Amino acid sequence: MTMWVGVMSGTSLDGIDVAIVETEGGRERPRNWRVVAFRTEPYEAATRRDIEAAIISGSAASICSLDFELGARIGAAVLRTLASASLGPGDIEAIGSHGQTVWHEPPTGARRGATLQLGQAAVIAEAASCEVVSDFRVRDMAAGGEGAPLTAYTDWLLFRGDEPRAIQNIGGIGNVTALPAASSEDPPQAYDTGPGVVLIDGAVERLTGGASRFDLDGGLARRGVVSEAALSEWLADPFFSQPPPRSTGRERFSRARLLKWLDRHAALSPEDAVATLTELTARTIADAHGWLEGRPAACYLCGGGARNPVLAARLERLLSPLPVRDLSVLGLDPDAREAVAFALLARQHVLGFPANAPWATGADGPRLLGARTPA
């Protein structure tokens, strides 16, 4: 048995997720696996502002400084998670660190895309005294792929079963992985569906003057009424009619764009604005499932948006009669899915298995993902 650490900081800018994963065997698909520990360390408001400022300004100074700061934070978070499980750096084979995406530009036509994640691997390696595998997206994009969703491959590793399944993540950005039954020769599919909670969270923070960062239990959306006119402005975005492979991020569904939308629709109550954005997420996820070539037996939700009962219930109605369930039914905490994915991507890199899933990203072929920084 070997242990790996996965670290993820997502588009919702909530904080740093750390998972310790134990696997058995050296084949591409582990014989057995289990999550030894999982922790989330929330970002302080100042750190979120620094990340947002780096995304907005793009200044070399802010990006350089944030790269090292996040590396130190990630290293410290890994050590605290190891301590919580009574483990030390010597118990771990490698850390798989996604880092914090500050820019992700998908390919367009013949032009390759580009991507940048911060959280300096050398700083993590120094702080945690572990080998680090990082920069997972860049090789896929160098090979002409979207560089996302990277979790498609690990979904295939962990969750393929007797039934066809859809794994729907609702993080800052949403993505779906469709897994045929293990007995099927049909290929899997995966792609971004559009905004998850990034616009909802941004609106709640703005409309409450920073008192709340997300719509707790869907309380605002539940009291609001959807404005079809305001919703239609978002639905007109060409991304939603773009067939897979496709990916997106905060660059497209940005805070600046959200604030302009809120200003144009200032007559909406906070409840109606949040209800409209919640409907946007649910409707675009359901519409994106129309690109699936087969019909899953069930859809399993994960990510922060899965904890919003209003959003989950609306999605269940839109996908009916497809059953909608929590990913925990398949044996994994829905919040841990992405951190677990990067632990496994570190494993695949060390063992030499390509992990970019060209069937999801559109890359020219299988590629070994990540770059290694020794302890």
Side-chain angles (χ1 to χ4, degrees), residues 3 20 34 54 69 105-108 170 212-213 222 283 315:
M3 282 190 281
I20 304 172
R34 72 182 182 99
E69 179 187 346
E105 189 171 344
T108 54
I170 315 176
S212 299
R213 291 196 55 246
R222 183 179 288 109
R283 196 177 299 186
L315 187 57

Side-chain angles (χ1 to χ4, degrees), residues 261-341:
W261 180 84
L262 288 172
D263 288 343
R264 284 196 303 275
H265 299 284
L268 292 177
S269 69
E271 292 82 1
D272 290 352
V274 174
T276 301
L277 293 171
T278 302
E279 176 70 9
L280 171 70
T281 294
R283 196 177 299 186
T284 53
I285 288 173
D287 289 347
H289 280 225
W291 296 108
L292 299 182
E293 294 176 0
R295 181 169 181 81
C299 176
Y300 298 86
L301 299 184
C302 53
R307 298 194 301 272
N308 181 324
V310 174
L311 175 56
R314 178 58 176 151
L315 187 57
E316 187 171 6
R317 287 194 293 273
L318 290 170
L319 291 177
S320 180
L322 180 70
V324 176
R325 299 169 180 152
D326 192 270
L327 187 64
S328 60
V329 173
L330 300 182
L332 181 61
D333 179 344
D335 292 334
R337 178 238 192 185
E338 291 186 300
V340 168

Side-chain angles (χ1 to χ4, degrees), residues 207-228:
L207 295 170
T208 64
S212 299
R213 291 196 55 246
F214 58 93
D215 188 15
L216 180 63
D217 294 330
L220 289 170
R222 183 179 288 109
R223 299 192 298 273
V225 176
V226 173
S227 166
E228 290 293 336

